[in-house]
Amino acid sequence: MNERFARAATEYRTIAALAVCGIPIGIAVGAICALFGRVLLAITDFRDAHPWQLIPLLAIAGVVIAWAYRRFGKNTGRGMGLVFDVGHGAEPEIPLRLVPLIMGGTWLTHLFGGSAGREGVAVQIGATLSHWVGCKLPIRNAGNAFLVCGMAAGFAGLFRTPLAACVFALEVLVAGRLEYRALACSLTASFAASMTSGALGLEKFEVPIAETLAITPTSLVQLAIAGAAFGLVGGAFAWCLATAKRQAARIENPLVRIAIIGAVLSVVLLALWQGRYAGLGTNLISAALAGDGGAGVFTWDWTCKFALTVVTLAAGFQGGEVTPLFSIGASLGVVLAGILGLPVELVAALGYAAVFGGATNTLLAPILIGGEVFGFANLPAFFVVCAAGYLVNGNRSIYAGQKRA
């Protein structure tokens, strides 16, 4: 009996220590995310004002990125793959040099018009810093717990959705299993990172959806159909990205590969409405949720953003997938709303969350994303749609290192 109490006391002390240590980790990661995010927004505004001067230079920017990773990066070019390998114990550490490389590479990608996201940067930065700290602490298994904690802090610091960030980090390493050992530090780190980045001027994107949808037999069928469509698109994105990366790798020299694909991308991005599909895709999200019935969204917007993001990331440009997935889902939602006879802004919001879930093979995080960004009044609708998307995505994920329980 005394041994049982001793073990329980030790476990609770470890949990408390991890929770306390998550706070400074979250503050540090939140500060870096604020810097990264605010510079990225300024870069986006500058590029949008000068598309014809900047987008034609995308190939040159790509060569600089590829050269920097080849010269200084060692194995950091694997990005999220390296983070997942460390989380699964296949690699011992994430080199700190990843932080400046991923930040600089992403800024260059967006300055010159690459269709990419930003969450991969924040998650990698958080994981790198927190895992490094965790390995220095005299706490059993602290390194892996802090890896998850750092992923949560990075996501929360950038998007300022601490609940979704915490759950995302807990469920993304192994689909179907939550890393409860890291719950305490992930929760404290998420809130600390979100509050810090907010205090440093990084605004949270949120659009309260006033219209609510009653759950009836008819609406359940409509939501399930929408969720299945979102899940299939998310799964297709993950499959296409993996396939495109394999095909692009046939050009063995990364500098030549990124130069050729970057030059093609420049032409296509300018030809398609002068950079409408460049960068994060927040312009499509704003158009889908503008409150005018999606009048500013073209039927083909989601397919164009889908294809150009896949090609950009397959070429080797830096960033992430999540914000483009948000824009793909929101613009697809406008199209599906007309087909299903549902409120446009609501279905756009549902797509925003569910395509992200379908592409990352996560269930709880997209539900909470929907609540934290659009309000919790429609939480049942987000649950139904995200659950349907999760069930049909084919167990595919944009993260090749994700395991299945």
Side-chain angles (χ1 to χ4, degrees), residues 264-292:
V264 174
L265 279 170
S266 292
V267 175
V268 175
L269 287 166
L270 285 172
L272 296 175
W273 296 275
Q274 302 180 38
R276 179 178 178 85
Y277 306 109
L280 296 166
T282 50
N283 57 320
L284 301 181
I285 297 171
S286 298
L289 298 167
D292 57 1

Side-chain angles (χ1 to χ4, degrees), residues 349-381:
L350 295 170
Y352 179 103
V355 171
F356 158 67
T360 57
N361 203 21
T362 56
L363 172 62
L364 301 177
I367 295 171
L368 289 175
I369 279 278
E372 290 188 279
V373 174
F374 302 107
F376 286 94
N378 280 298
L379 192 62

Side-chain angles (χ1 to χ4, degrees), residues 190-252:
S190 293
F191 276 99
S194 178
M195 292 177 182
T196 299
S197 62
L200 294 175
L202 188 62
E203 294 184 2
K204 175 186 176 181
F205 173 75
E206 55 184 339
V207 181
I209 302 296
E211 190 164 3
T212 59
L213 183 67
I215 301 299
T216 65
T218 300
S219 66
L220 273 176
V221 173
Q222 293 171 313
L223 292 172
I225 293 172
F230 293 138
L232 289 172
V233 169
F237 183 93
W239 182 85
C240 289
L241 181 58
T243 303
K245 286 182 176 180
R246 287 195 299 270
Q247 294 300 317
R250 296 170 66 179
I251 305 175
E252 295 183 2

Side-chain angles (χ1 to χ4, degrees), residues 4 14 35 51 86 115 122 134 136 152 155 193 248-250 253 287-289 306 335 368 383:
R4 183 185 304 172
T14 300
L35 170 65
V86 171
S115 178
K136 307 294 182 184
F155 198 104
R250 296 170 66 179
N253 189 315
L289 298 167
F306 182 117
V335 178
L368 289 175
F383 188 96

Side-chain angles (χ1 to χ4, degrees), residues 298-364:
F298 302 148
T299 304
W300 55 84
D301 272 343
W302 72 272
T303 56
C304 291
K305 190 62 178 176
F306 182 117
L308 289 168
T309 303
V310 165
V311 174
T312 297
L313 296 174
F317 289 97
Q318 297 301 313
E321 301 90 352
V322 168
T323 306
L325 286 169
F326 289 157
S327 69
I328 292 167
S331 50
L332 174 60
V334 172
V335 178
L336 290 179
I339 297 173
L340 296 172
L342 292 173
V344 172
E345 284 74 29
L346 175 59
V347 184
L350 295 170
Y352 179 103
V355 171
F356 158 67
T360 57
N361 203 21
T362 56
L363 172 62
L364 301 177

Side-chain angles (χ1 to χ4, degrees), residues 160-192:
R160 303 202 50 221
T161 53
L163 298 178
C166 177
V167 173
F168 173 78
L170 294 178
E171 69 176 328
V172 75
L173 285 176
V174 181
R177 189 184 78 193
L178 294 174
E179 290 286 342
Y180 284 117
R181 292 174 298 174
L183 175 59
C185 58
S186 295
L187 191 60
T188 57
S190 293
F191 276 99

